[in-house]
Amino acid sequence: MRYISTRGNSPAQAFCDILLGGLAPDGGLYLPESYPQVTRAELDAWRKLSYADLAFEILSKFIDDIPAADLKALVAKTYTADTYRYVRNGGNPAEITPLTQLEDGLYTQELSNGPTLAFKDMAMQLLGNLFEYVLEKRGESINILGATSGDTGSAAEYAMRGKHNVKVFMLSPNGLMSPFQRAQMYSLQDANIFNIAVTGMFDDAQDIVKAVSNDAEYKKQYKIGAVNSINWARVAAQIVYYFQGYFLATRSNDEQVAFAVPSGNFGNICAGHIARQMGLPIARLVLATNENDVLDEFFRTGVYRPRATAETSVTSSPSMDISKASNFERFAFDLVGRDPAVVRELWAQVDKGQAFDLSGTDFWAKMPQFAFVSGKSTHADRIKTIRLAHGRYGVMLDTHTADGLKVALEHRLPGVPMIVLETAQPAKFEGTIREALGQEPQRPADLAGIEELPQRVEVMAPDAGAIKRYVAERA
Ligand SMILES: *Cc1c(COP(=O)(O)O)cnc(C)c1O
């Protein structure tokens, strides 16, 4: 299996060669040359597998440069009931991503049972083990530099903590994350994890990461890498739980399901799109946005209009607050018939902050075959939906999942089970839960009082030079 760039001007690469990198050299995103297909016989056999064995079968179709026995061991070590241990609502921990039935034909799928209580653990934990394995084989090391407003940074730190040949330098906006999120990250005492609280906003932190990324010499000298949402291995790992959700919600492979996906950077639902392209019987992919509705606008109108920073709002489902969706280019590549020249043309606009409009084109006429629908959810919708789920189904939802359920209810197909992906636990968003329900969300027992633990964090000014020196001294 070779990987090609959506912009068509980079050489095809093997899985391990794109694992540690980010964008392709031509600025595009990597995708498999073609999507592996799943036969009916495979689906029938896979229905009986454990999550780890299912992950092995699916990932084997995308990874041919890690020996099967090694990949099997890496996957088995990743997808354990011990790592994904915060199962709620009476789910079976052995299923790793169990379903909760809300009513007949309506489910949530818990993707947030990992160490940081958000779905990014599903892929990031595998990434940690893959990184360690490949770096060890190659006798290399990496220093991961990232900026986070919450979920990604903590998922990366919990995935990389204690890993050989990996260090993590994570910038976060000083004082702007919730006390729980701060405690999650800053209480880590592992020697390979460095938290830097930047006295500024998230954008200031991200600008520093960009400045470092643009300094090719520094990047090379200090082996700087990233684990951002465009990483192909993260998307690949996320394909697995679509298959698992399908098997859990159906009795036979003649049935179809729909998935509703709370979306920001389009990484999660991109994995659903690929699962469907592989042949998983998905009748519909329901994309849900919050007030930052750039993706909902595209799927309704064909216009993709990245927002200016000033146009992007801070919402109560903050992990979906995006101005443009970094993985969207992968879907666009498929939509335009995998023609890199068209993607280059479209992203020449996007990279200048401008919109493109596919409505009225032959490409847009092909949209129905991709089975996407979309909708948006506001703070008021979110509060209402959290109340509804609690009152009617006795289930406490987090704010992002509530956006997913709100939009899912607008797009159900008769006789087709609808699975809403649960992307975080309510414990992460106490303020909004209190506003909706007048009570505190339950927190896993072993995370009680985490705010009281000693914290390890360096507070620094948003000064790229100073932060480069800090990293250089410790890399
Ligand atoms: C990251 C995240 C999302 C958005 O996922 P994308 O892959 O960026 O679309 C939704 N909900 C939660 C809780 C997240 O952490």
Side-chain angles (χ1 to χ4, degrees):
M1 168 69 67
R2 311 284 288 175
Y3 290 87
I4 54 172
S5 164
T6 50
R7 308 230 181 145
N9 287 332
S10 300
Q13 303 258 37
F15 178 83
C16 289
D17 294 321
I18 63 166
L19 173 66
L20 303 169
L23 292 174
D26 61 6
L29 276 64
Y30 286 111
L31 273 177
E33 242 159 11
S34 64
Y35 294 125
Q37 296 300 300
V38 175
T39 63
R40 174 62 194 249
E42 281 174 314
L43 273 187
D44 290 342
W46 291 0
R47 184 170 273 281
K48 305 172 197 84
L49 297 182
S50 69
Y51 192 97
D53 288 345
L54 179 63
F56 171 72
E57 294 296 334
I58 293 169
L59 292 170
S60 295
K61 289 186 174 279
F62 292 97
I63 305 173
D64 56 11
D65 53 347
I66 295 178
D70 291 359
L71 182 61
K72 196 154 196 162
L74 287 167
V75 166
K77 172 166 129 181
T78 303
Y79 295 110
T80 67
D82 184 48
T83 298
Y84 298 94
R85 67 174 172 281
Y86 299 121
V87 173
R88 303 180 312 132
N89 303 317
N92 176 2
E95 290 170 352
I96 307 294
T97 58
L99 300 186
T100 300
Q101 183 164 20
L102 302 182
E103 62 180 43
D104 197 27
L106 183 64
Y107 304 86
T108 58
Q109 184 177 4
E110 292 181 19
L111 308 182
S112 54
N113 298 326
T116 73
L117 309 183
F119 95 99
K120 293 190 175 65
D121 291 327
M122 290 306 304
M124 206 70 95
Q125 288 287 320
L126 179 68
L127 210 63
N129 287 326
L130 284 171
F131 270 40
E132 188 174 55
Y133 172 85
V134 170
L135 290 167
E136 180 76 46
K137 283 250 150 170
R138 297 184 168 186
E140 292 173 8
S141 63
I142 194 171
N143 295 295
I144 293 165
L145 177 67
T148 188
S149 51
D151 286 345
T152 310
S154 55
E157 292 188 354
Y158 279 78
M160 302 294 169
R161 62 187 296 200
K163 295 280 182 259
H164 298 297
N165 305 318
V166 181
K167 286 180 182 156
V168 177
F169 296 88
M170 193 57 64
L171 312 185
S172 51
N174 189 34
L176 294 185
M177 295 188 304
S178 74
F180 178 70
Q181 284 178 314
R182 285 205 290 270
Q184 272 189 311
M185 288 178 59
Y186 303 164
S187 67
L188 287 179
Q189 299 297 329
D190 306 78
N192 70 328
I193 304 294
F194 299 90
N195 284 302
I196 304 169
V198 175
T199 52
M201 309 291 287
F202 169 68
D203 286 328
D204 298 310
Q206 197 164 37
D207 285 345
I208 291 169
V209 174
K210 280 190 199 145
V212 176
S213 297
N214 291 334
D215 184 344
E217 206 172 307
Y218 179 92
K219 246 180 101 176
K220 194 157 169 240
Q221 184 176 359
Y222 296 106
K223 306 187 179 76
I224 302 296
V227 292
N228 40 31
S229 80
I230 53 135
N231 182 291
W232 164 253
R234 283 180 63 183
V235 177
Q238 290 165 2
I239 295 170
V240 178
Y241 51 72
Y242 284 88
F243 281 81
Q244 171 82 335
Y246 173 76
F247 292 136
L248 293 175
T250 58
R251 287 216 179 79
S252 101
N253 298 322
D254 298 321
E255 294 173 55
Q256 293 200 312
V257 299
F259 285 96
V261 188
S263 294
N265 273 317
F266 203 81
N268 197 353
I269 202 165
C270 187
H273 159 68
I274 294 170
R276 189 170 177 278
Q277 296 299 311
M278 292 171 72
L280 186 67
I282 298 177
R284 186 170 263 190
L285 288 163
V286 182
L287 181 144
T289 71
N290 65 18
E291 291 87 334
N292 297 295
D293 60 351
V294 45
L295 287 169
D296 176 42
E297 179 174 71
F298 174 77
F299 284 96
R300 278 186 304 100
T301 66
V303 175
Y304 184 67
R305 187 175 66 83
R307 311 297 199 244
T309 312
E311 248 184 303
T312 309
S313 29
V314 177
T315 73
S316 46
S317 46
S319 299
M320 290 154 59
D321 293 346
I322 49 112
S323 52
K324 57 183 174 198
S326 53
N327 274 291
F328 179 61
E329 185 171 337
R330 288 194 160 109
F331 174 73
F333 182 67
D334 288 342
L335 179 61
V336 302
R338 302 199 129 211
D339 183 345
V342 178
V343 173
R344 283 200 298 275
E345 216 173 284
L346 298 176
W347 259 262
Q349 303 296 113
V350 173
D351 290 341
K352 280 187 285 186
Q354 289 169 4
F356 64 74
D357 182 357
L358 294 184
S359 67
T361 65
D362 291 350
F363 305 129
W364 190 246
K366 297 217 171 74
M367 262 310 276
Q369 78 188 49
F370 293 98
F372 270 84
V373 293
S374 73
K376 90 185 236 190
S377 167
T378 63
H379 181 76
D381 295 324
R382 207 167 289 139
I383 297 288
K384 210 170 114 191
T385 308
I386 291 171
R387 284 185 188 143
L388 173 131
H390 196 247
R392 189 181 297 173
Y393 308 127
V395 168
M396 199 183 279
L397 296 184
D398 100 288
T399 54
H400 306 76
T401 312
D403 291 335
L405 177 60
K406 187 265 179 187
V407 178
L409 292 173
E410 296 164 351
H411 291 289
R412 287 177 80 180
L413 291 165
V416 177
M418 171 70 75
I419 303 171
V420 181
L421 297 186
E422 188 202 54
T423 55
Q425 296 207 6
K428 293 195 88 163
F429 304 95
E430 289 169 344
T432 312
I433 299 300
R434 216 178 293 128
E435 178 184 342
L437 303 176
Q439 67 181 81
E440 298 291 323
Q442 263 195 350
R443 200 190 270 195
D446 63 348
L447 298 179
I450 185 178
E451 289 92 339
E452 269 63 68
L453 295 175
Q455 299 194 351
R456 230 175 111 243
V457 57
E458 194 83 27
V459 180
M460 296 184 74
D463 170 352
I467 288 173
K468 275 174 158 174
R469 280 194 298 280
Y470 177 92
V471 172
E473 283 160 15
R474 289 161 184 83

